[in-house]
Amino acid sequence: MTVKEVLALAAEHLARADLQKQLGELSENAAMKGELASLLRAYNLVENELAVDHLPLKAEETLSAEEHLIPWSAFSFAPAGVRAVSVSGSETCFEPRREGLFLPSVRRGAAVVRYCYSPAPKSVGDESEFGGRVSARLLSFGVAREFCLSRGMFEEAKLWDGRYREALRAAALPRRALSVRARRWV
């Protein structure tokens, strides 16, 4: 799904035919201004919120450490949280620092880093980072909420927030029911 599709769906939810028309006439690399720019900013906020708070985007990379450190600039994406680091197939300890990921037990060499990341800001022609469980409908509800908040339409924002939260709950993976084994008295 493209960002443009999500924005068009959000404009439809908001009953803004003028925004839908502007989006339809917009070329892929055109500069956005006014309310269209607000819609795009709302999209980027919602995508980042989903990635950081609800459905993390995961990546795994092999990076080289120099002097116990892998600089943050070496990562392909902006890390939001490092999950694990392994060297030669075994997990090793790590410490996130201001300048990069500190590996006390690795002076030099390659390390496989598994981490969650924040998506880069998108433009209209870009593809969404999400797919599968996260539909264009779910994203459009969040975009409508953020757009209404930015315009001071608080009652409408509350309505779209409720729809967004419901769609988010529906998109979550089904979890196995927890059970406690029955006690047996001897």
Side-chain angles (χ1 to χ4, degrees), residues 2 32 84 118-119 149 179 185:
T2 65
M32 297 182 71
S118 295
L149 281 174
S179 63
W185 299 97

Side-chain angles (χ1 to χ4, degrees), residues 7-106:
L7 297 183
L9 193 55
E12 183 180 328
H13 293 323
L14 295 167
R16 294 289 307 266
D18 58 327
L19 290 178
Q20 282 182 295
K21 183 180 177 189
Q22 289 175 19
L23 274 168
E25 296 170 352
L26 192 66
S27 66
E28 298 298 317
N29 297 327
M32 297 182 71
K33 56 185 175 189
E35 290 184 322
L36 286 181
S38 293
L39 264 181
L40 182 61
R41 186 179 64 76
Y43 174 84
N44 285 320
L45 288 171
V46 169
E47 191 175 58
N48 191 54
E49 175 191 346
L50 276 174
V52 173
D53 295 339
H54 303 290
L55 302 166
L57 297 169
K58 298 174 185 168
E60 182 174 299
E61 291 185 72
T62 302
L63 303 167
S64 67
E66 293 292 325
E67 300 297 321
H68 300 286
L69 191 73
I70 300 174
W72 295 123
S73 60
F75 288 82
S76 298
F77 304 105
V82 177
R83 301 289 179 167
V85 177
S86 59
V87 177
S88 301
S90 62
E91 288 199 10
T92 186
C93 57
F94 61 90
E95 181 182 332
R97 290 192 177 170
R98 183 176 180 191
E99 58 276 356
L101 190 63
F102 181 71
L103 308 172
S105 61
V106 180

Side-chain angles (χ1 to χ4, degrees), residues 116-135:
C116 297
Y117 65 92
S118 295
K122 304 282 187 296
S123 62
V124 177
D126 292 340
E127 285 287 321
S128 174
E129 292 282 335
F130 292 100
R133 299 179 292 159
V134 178
S135 65

